Amino acid sequence: MTSGSRPGKGCLVAPPSRYAPGQPCQYRVVTADFSLTLPSTMAAALRAGHPWIFRDRVPSGFRAPAGSWVRIQAGDCRAWALWSPDSPIALRVYSTHQAPDATWVDARVREALDLRKLTLDADTTAYRLLFGEGDGLPGVTADRYGDHIVILSYAPGLEQVVEWACASLLQQLAPRSIVHKPAGSSEGATQVLHGKKPPNEIVVTENGLRFRVELGKAQKSGLFLDHRDNRAFVARLARNARVLNLFSYTGAFSVYAAAAGARQVTTVDVAPGVVDAARENFKLNGLDPNAHHFEVADVFAWVDAARERNGNFDLVICDPPSLARRKEQRVQALKAYRKLNTAVMRLVTPGGLLATASCTAQVDVSAFQRTVAEAATRARRRFQILRDAAHAADHPVMAHHPEGRYLKFLLGRVIQLP
Protein backbone atom coordinates (compact mmCIF):
# COMPACT_ATOMS: atom_id res chain seq x y z
CA MET A 1 0.00 0.00 0.00
CA THR A 2 1.05 3.60 -0.38
CA SER A 3 0.83 6.52 1.99
CA GLY A 4 0.26 10.17 1.26
CA SER A 5 2.98 12.58 0.26
CA ARG A 6 4.42 15.41 2.26
CA PRO A 7 6.94 18.15 1.52
CA GLY A 8 10.40 16.62 1.25
CA LYS A 9 13.75 17.63 2.65
CA GLY A 10 15.65 16.71 -0.51
CA CYS A 11 17.18 19.49 -2.53
CA LEU A 12 18.58 20.06 -5.99
CA VAL A 13 21.79 21.86 -6.72
CA ALA A 14 21.45 25.01 -8.79
CA PRO A 15 22.84 24.63 -12.33
CA PRO A 16 26.52 23.68 -11.92
CA SER A 17 27.57 25.90 -14.81
CA ARG A 18 27.11 28.87 -12.46
CA TYR A 19 29.94 27.73 -10.24
CA ALA A 20 33.69 27.63 -10.54
CA PRO A 21 35.77 24.84 -8.99
CA GLY A 22 36.18 25.27 -5.26
CA GLN A 23 33.19 27.58 -4.81
CA PRO A 24 30.40 26.43 -2.48
CA CYS A 25 27.19 25.34 -4.18
CA GLN A 26 23.75 26.62 -3.20
CA TYR A 27 20.67 24.43 -3.01
CA ARG A 28 16.93 24.79 -3.27
CA VAL A 29 14.14 22.38 -2.35
CA VAL A 30 12.41 20.94 -5.41
CA THR A 31 11.25 17.40 -4.57
CA ALA A 32 8.36 15.78 -2.76
CA ASP A 33 8.80 12.77 -0.50
CA PHE A 34 6.61 9.67 -0.96
CA SER A 35 6.24 6.52 1.13
CA LEU A 36 5.72 2.97 -0.09
CA THR A 37 5.28 -0.32 1.72
CA LEU A 38 6.60 -3.41 -0.07
CA PRO A 39 6.31 -7.12 0.84
CA SER A 40 8.48 -8.11 3.80
CA THR A 41 10.03 -10.83 1.61
CA MET A 42 12.00 -8.05 -0.13
CA ALA A 43 13.73 -6.99 3.09
CA ALA A 44 16.72 -9.32 2.67
CA ALA A 45 17.56 -8.05 -0.80
CA LEU A 46 17.19 -4.43 0.27
CA ARG A 47 19.31 -4.96 3.36
CA ALA A 48 22.01 -6.64 1.25
CA GLY A 49 22.04 -3.61 -1.01
CA HIS A 50 20.45 -4.78 -4.25
CA PRO A 51 19.70 -1.53 -6.08
CA TRP A 52 16.74 -2.47 -8.30
CA ILE A 53 13.02 -2.87 -7.69
CA PHE A 54 11.15 -3.87 -10.83
CA ARG A 55 7.75 -2.54 -11.74
CA ASP A 56 5.89 -5.77 -11.05
CA ARG A 57 6.91 -5.55 -7.39
CA VAL A 58 5.36 -2.10 -6.94
CA PRO A 59 1.63 -1.80 -5.99
CA SER A 60 -0.31 -0.86 -9.11
CA GLY A 61 -1.92 2.14 -7.46
CA PHE A 62 1.32 3.92 -6.60
CA ARG A 63 1.83 7.25 -8.36
CA ALA A 64 4.58 9.85 -8.08
CA PRO A 65 6.35 12.31 -10.39
CA ALA A 66 9.50 11.06 -12.12
CA GLY A 67 12.54 11.74 -9.97
CA SER A 68 10.69 11.65 -6.65
CA TRP A 69 12.48 10.22 -3.66
CA VAL A 70 10.44 7.35 -2.20
CA ARG A 71 10.87 6.07 1.33
CA ILE A 72 10.46 2.28 1.19
CA GLN A 73 9.49 0.00 4.05
CA ALA A 74 9.81 -3.79 3.63
CA GLY A 75 9.51 -5.68 6.89
CA ASP A 76 12.04 -4.16 9.27
CA CYS A 77 14.15 -2.67 6.44
CA ARG A 78 13.88 0.94 5.33
CA ALA A 79 15.44 2.39 2.20
CA TRP A 80 15.32 5.47 -0.04
CA ALA A 81 14.87 5.07 -3.79
CA LEU A 82 14.37 7.22 -6.88
CA TRP A 83 11.14 6.71 -8.80
CA SER A 84 11.07 6.17 -12.59
CA PRO A 85 7.44 5.78 -13.75
CA ASP A 86 8.28 4.68 -17.31
CA SER A 87 11.27 2.39 -16.73
CA PRO A 88 11.16 -1.40 -16.21
CA ILE A 89 13.24 -0.63 -13.11
CA ALA A 90 10.65 1.38 -11.23
CA LEU A 91 12.79 2.18 -8.19
CA ARG A 92 16.54 2.57 -7.94
CA VAL A 93 17.62 2.15 -4.34
CA TYR A 94 20.30 4.56 -3.16
CA SER A 95 20.52 4.27 0.62
CA THR A 96 19.25 2.32 3.62
CA HIS A 97 20.36 5.05 6.02
CA GLN A 98 19.06 8.40 4.78
CA ALA A 99 17.38 10.30 2.01
CA PRO A 100 20.22 11.18 -0.37
CA ASP A 101 21.12 14.82 -0.79
CA ALA A 102 23.98 16.73 -2.42
CA THR A 103 26.37 15.90 0.43
CA TRP A 104 25.52 12.19 0.21
CA VAL A 105 26.13 12.12 -3.57
CA ASP A 106 29.36 14.06 -3.14
CA ALA A 107 30.61 11.35 -0.75
CA ARG A 108 29.86 8.63 -3.35
CA VAL A 109 31.68 10.60 -6.06
CA ARG A 110 34.72 11.07 -3.83
CA GLU A 111 34.81 7.34 -3.06
CA ALA A 112 34.64 6.55 -6.78
CA LEU A 113 37.46 8.95 -7.62
CA ASP A 114 39.63 7.50 -4.86
CA LEU A 115 39.17 4.06 -6.45
CA ARG A 116 40.24 5.38 -9.86
CA LYS A 117 43.42 6.79 -8.35
CA LEU A 118 44.33 3.25 -7.30
CA THR A 119 43.65 1.62 -10.67
CA LEU A 120 44.73 4.17 -13.31
CA ASP A 121 47.92 5.92 -14.32
CA ALA A 122 49.01 8.96 -16.31
CA ASP A 123 49.19 6.89 -19.54
CA THR A 124 45.38 6.71 -19.58
CA THR A 125 43.23 9.81 -20.07
CA ALA A 126 39.93 8.11 -21.01
CA TYR A 127 38.13 6.07 -18.38
CA ARG A 128 34.90 5.65 -16.43
CA LEU A 129 34.63 7.96 -13.45
CA LEU A 130 31.26 6.71 -12.17
CA PHE A 131 29.77 3.31 -12.90
CA GLY A 132 26.20 3.66 -11.67
CA GLU A 133 25.21 0.82 -9.36
CA GLY A 134 28.83 -0.26 -8.96
CA ASP A 135 29.67 3.08 -7.37
CA GLY A 136 26.45 3.46 -5.39
CA LEU A 137 24.78 5.84 -7.87
CA PRO A 138 22.21 3.69 -9.71
CA GLY A 139 21.35 4.72 -13.23
CA VAL A 140 24.12 7.32 -13.64
CA THR A 141 27.53 6.91 -15.28
CA ALA A 142 30.26 9.41 -16.05
CA ASP A 143 33.18 9.04 -18.47
CA ARG A 144 36.28 11.18 -18.65
CA TYR A 145 37.82 11.98 -22.03
CA GLY A 146 40.85 14.14 -21.39
CA ASP A 147 39.59 17.48 -20.04
CA HIS A 148 35.94 16.67 -20.75
CA ILE A 149 33.35 14.66 -18.81
CA VAL A 150 30.25 12.99 -20.27
CA ILE A 151 27.48 11.99 -17.85
CA LEU A 152 24.83 9.49 -18.98
CA SER A 153 21.54 8.81 -17.21
CA TYR A 154 19.55 5.68 -17.94
CA ALA A 155 15.99 6.70 -17.05
CA PRO A 156 13.88 9.84 -16.82
CA GLY A 157 13.88 11.35 -13.36
CA LEU A 158 17.61 11.08 -12.67
CA GLU A 159 18.31 14.75 -13.41
CA GLN A 160 18.60 15.60 -9.72
CA VAL A 161 21.35 13.06 -9.12
CA VAL A 162 23.06 14.11 -12.36
CA GLU A 163 23.28 17.71 -11.21
CA TRP A 164 24.56 16.77 -7.75
CA ALA A 165 27.18 14.48 -9.34
CA CYS A 166 28.10 17.23 -11.78
CA ALA A 167 28.68 19.72 -8.98
CA SER A 168 30.93 17.24 -7.17
CA LEU A 169 32.94 16.33 -10.29
CA LEU A 170 33.36 19.99 -11.09
CA GLN A 171 34.79 20.75 -7.66
CA GLN A 172 37.03 17.66 -7.59
CA LEU A 173 38.41 17.62 -11.15
CA ALA A 174 37.89 21.10 -12.64
CA PRO A 175 37.24 19.80 -16.21
CA ARG A 176 36.88 22.13 -19.19
CA SER A 177 33.36 20.86 -19.83
CA ILE A 178 30.70 18.54 -18.44
CA VAL A 179 27.81 17.41 -20.63
CA HIS A 180 24.78 15.26 -19.88
CA LYS A 181 23.39 12.73 -22.35
CA PRO A 182 20.15 10.98 -21.38
CA ALA A 183 20.50 7.37 -22.56
CA GLY A 184 18.73 6.67 -25.81
CA SER A 185 18.64 10.35 -26.71
CA SER A 186 19.71 11.99 -29.93
CA GLU A 187 22.76 14.20 -30.16
CA GLY A 188 20.54 17.26 -29.95
CA ALA A 189 19.40 16.26 -26.47
CA THR A 190 22.89 16.70 -25.02
CA GLN A 191 22.91 19.34 -22.29
CA VAL A 192 26.02 21.34 -21.40
CA LEU A 193 26.19 21.50 -17.61
CA HIS A 194 29.53 23.27 -17.35
CA GLY A 195 31.82 25.13 -19.72
CA LYS A 196 31.31 25.18 -23.46
CA LYS A 197 30.18 22.38 -25.74
CA PRO A 198 33.25 20.15 -26.20
CA PRO A 199 34.75 19.59 -29.67
CA ASN A 200 33.21 16.75 -31.64
CA GLU A 201 36.55 14.94 -31.84
CA ILE A 202 39.47 14.77 -29.42
CA VAL A 203 42.48 12.48 -28.97
CA VAL A 204 42.88 10.49 -25.75
CA THR A 205 45.45 8.00 -24.52
CA GLU A 206 44.91 4.51 -23.15
CA ASN A 207 47.89 2.64 -21.74
CA GLY A 208 50.07 5.00 -23.78
CA LEU A 209 48.25 4.38 -27.09
CA ARG A 210 46.31 7.18 -28.80
CA PHE A 211 42.72 7.06 -30.03
CA ARG A 212 40.31 9.51 -31.56
CA VAL A 213 36.96 9.75 -29.81
CA GLU A 214 33.87 11.56 -31.03
CA LEU A 215 32.12 13.23 -28.12
CA GLY A 216 29.40 14.48 -30.44
CA LYS A 217 27.99 10.98 -30.85
CA ALA A 218 24.77 10.35 -28.96
CA GLN A 219 26.03 7.25 -27.17
CA LYS A 220 29.27 5.57 -28.22
CA SER A 221 32.39 7.69 -28.39
CA GLY A 222 34.51 5.45 -30.60
CA LEU A 223 36.28 3.70 -27.72
CA PHE A 224 34.77 1.05 -25.48
CA LEU A 225 36.31 1.91 -22.11
CA ASP A 226 35.22 -1.35 -20.46
CA HIS A 227 37.67 -3.47 -22.52
CA ARG A 228 40.84 -1.54 -21.58
CA ASP A 229 42.35 -4.30 -19.39
CA ASN A 230 41.32 -6.99 -21.88
CA ARG A 231 43.02 -5.12 -24.72
CA ALA A 232 46.23 -4.92 -22.72
CA PHE A 233 46.11 -8.67 -22.05
CA VAL A 234 45.53 -9.48 -25.73
CA ALA A 235 48.50 -7.29 -26.68
CA ARG A 236 50.80 -9.48 -24.57
CA LEU A 237 49.89 -12.45 -26.79
CA ALA A 238 49.91 -10.76 -30.19
CA ARG A 239 53.61 -10.53 -31.01
CA ASN A 240 54.41 -12.19 -34.38
CA ALA A 241 50.81 -13.44 -34.60
CA ARG A 242 48.37 -13.29 -37.47
CA VAL A 243 45.49 -11.49 -35.77
CA LEU A 244 41.81 -11.25 -36.76
CA ASN A 245 39.59 -8.64 -35.08
CA LEU A 246 35.88 -9.21 -35.73
CA PHE A 247 33.22 -6.58 -34.96
CA SER A 248 36.21 -4.29 -34.68
CA TYR A 249 34.40 -0.96 -34.29
CA THR A 250 37.17 1.68 -34.51
CA GLY A 251 39.91 -0.93 -34.12
CA ALA A 252 41.16 -0.56 -30.55
CA PHE A 253 42.04 -4.28 -30.23
CA SER A 254 43.69 -4.07 -33.65
CA VAL A 255 45.86 -1.11 -32.63
CA TYR A 256 46.96 -2.87 -29.45
CA ALA A 257 47.89 -6.00 -31.40
CA ALA A 258 49.78 -4.13 -34.14
CA ALA A 259 51.62 -1.97 -31.60
CA ALA A 260 52.66 -5.14 -29.76
CA GLY A 261 54.31 -6.52 -32.91
CA ALA A 262 51.63 -8.62 -34.58
CA ARG A 263 52.78 -9.94 -37.95
CA GLN A 264 49.55 -8.86 -39.60
CA VAL A 265 46.14 -7.67 -38.33
CA THR A 266 42.87 -8.11 -40.21
CA THR A 267 40.13 -5.73 -39.03
CA VAL A 268 36.51 -6.44 -39.98
CA ASP A 269 33.32 -4.47 -39.33
CA VAL A 270 30.10 -3.84 -41.23
CA ALA A 271 30.25 -0.04 -40.95
CA PRO A 272 32.53 1.75 -43.45
CA GLY A 273 32.92 4.76 -41.15
CA VAL A 274 34.33 2.82 -38.23
CA VAL A 275 36.74 0.88 -40.46
CA ASP A 276 38.04 4.20 -41.77
CA ALA A 277 38.37 5.35 -38.16
CA ALA A 278 40.39 2.21 -37.40
CA ARG A 279 42.85 3.12 -40.17
CA GLU A 280 43.19 6.60 -38.70
CA ASN A 281 43.87 5.17 -35.25
CA PHE A 282 46.68 3.10 -36.76
CA LYS A 283 48.22 6.25 -38.24
CA LEU A 284 47.77 8.11 -34.98
CA ASN A 285 50.05 5.54 -33.31
CA GLY A 286 52.71 5.53 -36.02
CA LEU A 287 51.48 2.23 -37.48
CA ASP A 288 51.26 1.75 -41.23
CA PRO A 289 47.68 0.70 -42.07
CA ASN A 290 48.85 -0.50 -45.50
CA ALA A 291 50.79 -3.28 -43.77
CA HIS A 292 47.50 -4.69 -42.48
CA HIS A 293 44.03 -5.57 -43.81
CA PHE A 294 40.80 -3.64 -43.26
CA GLU A 295 37.53 -5.03 -44.55
CA VAL A 296 33.97 -3.68 -44.56
CA ALA A 297 31.67 -6.69 -44.42
CA ASP A 298 28.89 -8.39 -42.53
CA VAL A 299 30.94 -10.34 -40.00
CA PHE A 300 28.76 -13.46 -39.99
CA ALA A 301 28.99 -13.75 -43.78
CA TRP A 302 32.71 -12.87 -43.75
CA VAL A 303 33.46 -15.66 -41.28
CA ASP A 304 31.60 -18.22 -43.41
CA ALA A 305 33.50 -17.12 -46.50
CA ALA A 306 36.83 -17.22 -44.66
CA ARG A 307 36.15 -20.82 -43.63
CA GLU A 308 35.66 -21.77 -47.28
CA ARG A 309 39.00 -20.12 -48.09
CA ASN A 310 40.62 -22.10 -45.26
CA GLY A 311 41.62 -18.86 -43.57
CA ASN A 312 43.69 -19.40 -40.44
CA PHE A 313 44.71 -16.96 -37.70
CA ASP A 314 46.88 -17.33 -34.62
CA LEU A 315 44.73 -14.97 -32.54
CA VAL A 316 41.08 -14.07 -33.12
CA ILE A 317 39.12 -11.41 -31.23
CA CYS A 318 35.34 -11.70 -31.49
CA ASP A 319 33.43 -8.93 -29.69
CA PRO A 320 29.92 -8.60 -31.21
CA PRO A 321 27.40 -5.95 -30.15
CA SER A 322 24.61 -6.90 -27.78
CA LEU A 323 22.47 -9.64 -29.29
CA ALA A 324 19.50 -9.26 -26.93
CA ARG A 325 17.83 -6.14 -25.57
CA ARG A 326 15.02 -7.95 -23.77
CA LYS A 327 14.64 -11.19 -21.81
CA GLU A 328 12.49 -12.62 -24.58
CA GLN A 329 15.49 -12.45 -26.93
CA ARG A 330 17.86 -14.38 -24.64
CA VAL A 331 17.37 -17.83 -26.20
CA GLN A 332 17.90 -16.46 -29.70
CA ALA A 333 21.03 -14.62 -28.54
CA LEU A 334 22.52 -17.82 -27.10
CA LYS A 335 21.90 -19.60 -30.40
CA ALA A 336 23.67 -16.78 -32.24
CA TYR A 337 26.65 -16.89 -29.87
CA ARG A 338 26.88 -20.66 -30.31
CA LYS A 339 26.78 -20.47 -34.11
CA LEU A 340 29.25 -17.58 -34.27
CA ASN A 341 31.81 -19.12 -31.93
CA THR A 342 31.56 -22.48 -33.65
CA ALA A 343 32.46 -20.87 -36.96
CA VAL A 344 35.17 -18.64 -35.49
CA MET A 345 36.94 -21.51 -33.72
CA ARG A 346 37.44 -23.16 -37.08
CA LEU A 347 39.44 -20.12 -38.20
CA VAL A 348 41.97 -20.46 -35.38
CA THR A 349 45.16 -22.37 -36.10
CA PRO A 350 45.63 -25.48 -33.93
CA GLY A 351 46.91 -24.28 -30.58
CA GLY A 352 45.99 -20.69 -31.47
CA LEU A 353 44.02 -18.28 -29.31
CA LEU A 354 40.45 -17.00 -29.30
CA ALA A 355 39.24 -14.00 -27.30
CA THR A 356 35.44 -14.04 -27.35
CA ALA A 357 33.16 -11.59 -25.58
CA SER A 358 29.53 -10.84 -24.84
CA CYS A 359 28.12 -7.50 -23.75
CA THR A 360 24.56 -8.87 -23.68
CA ALA A 361 23.23 -8.21 -20.18
CA GLN A 362 20.52 -10.84 -20.62
CA VAL A 363 23.22 -13.55 -20.93
CA ASP A 364 24.99 -14.25 -17.64
CA VAL A 365 28.52 -15.51 -17.10
CA SER A 366 27.68 -19.20 -16.72
CA ALA A 367 25.36 -19.21 -19.75
CA PHE A 368 28.00 -17.59 -21.94
CA GLN A 369 30.74 -19.99 -20.87
CA ARG A 370 28.43 -22.95 -21.39
CA THR A 371 27.57 -21.67 -24.88
CA VAL A 372 31.25 -21.28 -25.81
CA ALA A 373 31.88 -24.83 -24.58
CA GLU A 374 29.04 -26.09 -26.77
CA ALA A 375 30.52 -24.20 -29.70
CA ALA A 376 33.87 -25.89 -29.14
CA THR A 377 32.21 -29.29 -29.19
CA ARG A 378 30.42 -28.50 -32.44
CA ALA A 379 33.66 -27.26 -33.98
CA ARG A 380 35.40 -30.48 -32.81
CA ARG A 381 37.78 -28.46 -30.67
CA ARG A 382 38.72 -28.07 -27.02
CA PHE A 383 38.73 -24.58 -25.51
CA GLN A 384 41.33 -24.12 -22.77
CA ILE A 385 40.45 -20.94 -20.86
CA LEU A 386 43.39 -18.71 -19.94
CA ARG A 387 41.47 -15.60 -18.93
CA ASP A 388 37.92 -15.16 -17.65
CA ALA A 389 37.36 -11.45 -17.18
CA ALA A 390 34.78 -8.69 -17.10
CA HIS A 391 35.07 -4.93 -17.34
CA ALA A 392 38.16 -2.91 -16.58
CA ALA A 393 38.79 -1.95 -12.96
CA ASP A 394 37.04 1.40 -13.40
CA HIS A 395 33.79 -0.55 -13.87
CA PRO A 396 33.40 -2.10 -10.39
CA VAL A 397 30.52 -4.49 -9.68
CA MET A 398 28.89 -4.91 -6.27
CA ALA A 399 28.84 -8.53 -5.08
CA HIS A 400 25.13 -8.27 -4.21
CA HIS A 401 24.34 -7.01 -7.74
CA PRO A 402 25.66 -9.62 -10.20
CA GLU A 403 23.48 -8.08 -12.91
CA GLY A 404 25.97 -5.23 -12.93
CA ARG A 405 28.45 -7.46 -14.75
CA TYR A 406 27.22 -7.15 -18.31
CA LEU A 407 30.58 -7.87 -20.03
CA LYS A 408 31.90 -11.40 -20.34
CA PHE A 409 35.35 -12.00 -21.83
CA LEU A 410 36.93 -15.41 -22.35
CA LEU A 411 40.39 -15.88 -23.82
CA GLY A 412 41.58 -19.38 -24.43
CA ARG A 413 43.60 -21.78 -26.53
CA VAL A 414 41.77 -23.65 -29.29
CA ILE A 415 42.95 -27.24 -29.39
CA GLN A 416 42.00 -29.79 -32.03
CA LEU A 417 40.69 -33.12 -30.79
CA PRO A 418 43.48 -35.71 -30.46
Side-chain angles (χ1 to χ4, degrees), residues 51-55 65-68 81-94 132-133 137-141 151-163 180-185 191 219:
W52 293 347
I53 297 175
F54 288 95
R55 186 157 306 284
S68 297
L82 204 62
W83 172 251
S84 297
D86 301 319
S87 170
I89 304 171
L91 290 159
R92 289 173 168 83
V93 181
Y94 277 71
E133 288 77 358
L137 295 170
V140 177
T141 66
I151 301 177
L152 275 75
S153 57
Y154 287 84
L158 290 165
E159 292 81 6
Q160 183 178 50
V161 176
V162 166
E163 292 196 23
H180 173 216
K181 295 181 180 181
S185 65
Q191 177 188 11
Q219 291 297 321

Side-chain angles (χ1 to χ4, degrees), residues 297-353:
D298 174 87
V299 173
F300 293 90
W302 190 94
V303 167
D304 288 340
R307 283 177 52 199
E308 294 179 3
R309 298 193 304 266
N310 295 317
N312 285 301
F313 299 88
D314 305 308
L315 170 60
V316 177
I317 302 108
C318 182
D319 180 29
S322 178
L323 299 181
R325 298 296 182 184
R326 302 186 305 273
K327 278 186 178 180
E328 296 78 14
Q329 299 172 324
R330 180 179 181 275
V331 172
Q332 195 63 33
L334 290 172
K335 289 181 180 178
Y337 281 123
R338 187 182 303 112
K339 179 180 179 181
L340 176 63
N341 281 281
T342 299
V344 169
M345 284 191 189
R346 291 170 176 157
L347 297 181
V348 181
T349 56
L353 301 170

Side-chain angles (χ1 to χ4, degrees), residues 20-358:
Q23 287 186 332
C25 292
Q26 300 173 3
Y27 306 98
R28 56 188 172 86
V29 174
V30 296
T31 63
D33 190 13
F34 292 79
S35 298
L36 178 63
T37 299
L38 297 175
S40 58
T41 53
M42 299 182 66
L46 286 172
R47 194 178 297 111
H50 198 285
W52 293 347
I53 297 175
F54 288 95
R55 186 157 306 284
D56 59 2
R57 305 306 300 271
V58 177
S60 59
F62 181 78
R63 297 290 184 273
S68 297
W69 289 108
V70 180
R71 189 175 63 254
I72 299 167
Q73 190 75 41
D76 61 352
C77 183
R78 180 178 292 182
W80 284 262
L82 204 62
W83 172 251
S84 297
D86 301 319
S87 170
I89 304 171
L91 290 159
R92 289 173 168 83
V93 181
Y94 277 71
S95 175
T96 56
H97 298 290
Q98 68 171 85
D101 57 16
T103 300
W104 187 94
V105 170
D106 179 66
R108 305 290 81 74
V109 171
R110 289 171 182 266
E111 290 168 359
L113 297 185
D114 286 343
L115 178 62
R116 274 61 181 179
K117 292 175 185 176
L118 292 174
T119 59
L120 295 165
D121 55 42
D123 288 335
T124 296
T125 63
Y127 52 90
R128 180 142 290 184
L129 290 166
L130 304 174
F131 186 43
E133 288 77 358
D135 283 308
L137 295 170
V140 177
T141 66
D143 294 329
R144 183 171 194 169
Y145 298 99
D147 294 329
H148 307 277
I149 294 175
V150 179
I151 301 177
L152 275 75
S153 57
Y154 287 84
L158 290 165
E159 292 81 6
Q160 183 178 50
V161 176
V162 166
E163 292 196 23
W164 284 338
C166 176
S168 181
L169 291 168
L170 177 60
Q171 292 183 6
Q172 298 300 313
L173 300 176
R176 289 176 58 189
S177 73
I178 302 178
V179 299
H180 173 216
K181 295 181 180 181
S185 65
S186 64
E187 181 181 341
T190 298
Q191 177 188 11
V192 178
L193 300 180
H194 166 72
K196 297 180 179 180
K197 182 179 179 181
N200 285 335
E201 184 179 280
I202 65 172
V203 175
V204 299
T205 60
E206 184 183 274
N207 293 321
L209 295 172
R210 306 176 75 202
F211 297 93
R212 284 191 174 89
V213 297
E214 296 184 47
L215 298 186
K217 289 189 176 181
Q219 291 297 321
K220 299 178 179 68
S221 67
L223 183 64
F224 291 111
L225 302 177
D226 48 10
H227 265 310
R228 183 182 61 255
D229 293 348
N230 296 328
R231 287 191 280 265
F233 191 86
V234 165
R236 293 166 49 188
L237 306 171
R239 185 171 180 79
N240 294 324
R242 292 166 297 172
V243 177
L244 171 63
N245 184 12
L246 300 171
F247 306 98
S248 64
Y249 196 38
T250 58
F253 273 108
S254 299
V255 169
Y256 269 78
R263 188 188 320 169
Q264 190 171 74
V265 181
T266 299
T267 301
V268 185
D269 198 282
V270 71
V274 300
V275 174
D276 289 340
R279 287 192 182 93
E280 292 303 312
N281 280 329
F282 268 63
K283 295 176 183 177
L284 195 60
N285 289 279
L287 302 167
D288 181 7
N290 294 323
H292 302 275
H293 296 305
F294 298 84
E295 301 200 30
V296 178
D298 174 87
V299 173
F300 293 90
W302 190 94
V303 167
D304 288 340
R307 283 177 52 199
E308 294 179 3
R309 298 193 304 266
N310 295 317
N312 285 301
F313 299 88
D314 305 308
L315 170 60
V316 177
I317 302 108
C318 182
D319 180 29
S322 178
L323 299 181
R325 298 296 182 184
R326 302 186 305 273
K327 278 186 178 180
E328 296 78 14
Q329 299 172 324
R330 180 179 181 275
V331 172
Q332 195 63 33
L334 290 172
K335 289 181 180 178
Y337 281 123
R338 187 182 303 112
K339 179 180 179 181
L340 176 63
N341 281 281
T342 299
V344 169
M345 284 191 189
R346 291 170 176 157
L347 297 181
V348 181
T349 56
L353 301 170
L354 168 64
T356 182
S358 164

